[in-house]
Amino acid sequence: QVQLVESGGGLVQAGGSLRLSCAASGLTFRAYVVGWFRQAPGKEREFVASIRWNGGNTVYTDSVKGRFTVSRDNAKNTVHLQMNVLKPEDTAVYYCAAPTRAYSDAGEYGYWGQGTQVTVSS
């Protein structure tokens, strides 16, 4: 059974930093893209960032470029999202996700974590 568990969320002031982690089990982690998504109250879920199975290719949505960094440690089955210079508009529940197929970067995510709340105060 595939499990993705996020951690590291919390309350931070604008301009601060948080580091989210996503711990995976039940899949050959090193073979999977991992994506980060977020959903703010009253808004649709949106893509934030992704990292390929070997860590060699990362993608970011424009609003977080230069502030967020996604990385992975395949030896520990973990992906991190370092978030710097946080803004109130970054407030959301953050989810990590993985596709159901190994070595697929087509954006079809089938496995999802339960989410972690990030709140940025102004």
Side-chain angles (χ1 to χ4, degrees):
Q1 182 180 359
V2 175
Q3 281 194 316
L4 302 174
V5 180
E6 302 93 338
S7 62
L11 173 64
V12 64
Q13 288 187 333
S17 298
L18 282 174
R19 189 191 195 208
L20 305 185
S21 297
C22 173
S25 61
L27 73 172
T28 305
F29 182 73
R30 64 183 181 276
Y32 286 80
V33 166
V34 174
W36 285 96
F37 294 77
R38 65 187 180 187
Q39 187 166 21
K43 295 187 177 181
E44 293 188 351
R45 185 173 60 197
E46 66 169 346
F47 170 82
V48 176
S50 66
I51 185 166
R52 253 190 177 188
W53 42 87
N54 60 359
N57 188 41
T58 56
V59 180
Y60 300 92
T61 191
D62 286 346
S63 62
V64 308
K65 285 181 181 177
R67 300 188 297 122
F68 290 12
T69 303
V70 60
S71 62
R72 67 190 297 157
D73 184 343
N74 285 344
K76 295 182 178 180
N77 285 10
T78 302
V79 170
H80 302 289
L81 183 68
Q82 178 67 44
M83 306 186 297
N84 298 327
V85 195
L86 282 161
K87 305 175 181 180
E89 51 264 43
D90 294 318
T91 294
V93 177
Y94 283 71
Y95 301 89
C96 66
T100 53
R101 291 187 297 140
Y103 302 111
S104 170
D105 56 3
E108 298 169 343
Y109 292 91
Y111 300 123
W112 293 85
Q114 82 289 349
T116 185
Q117 176 70 47
V118 171
T119 303
V120 184
S121 63
S122 57

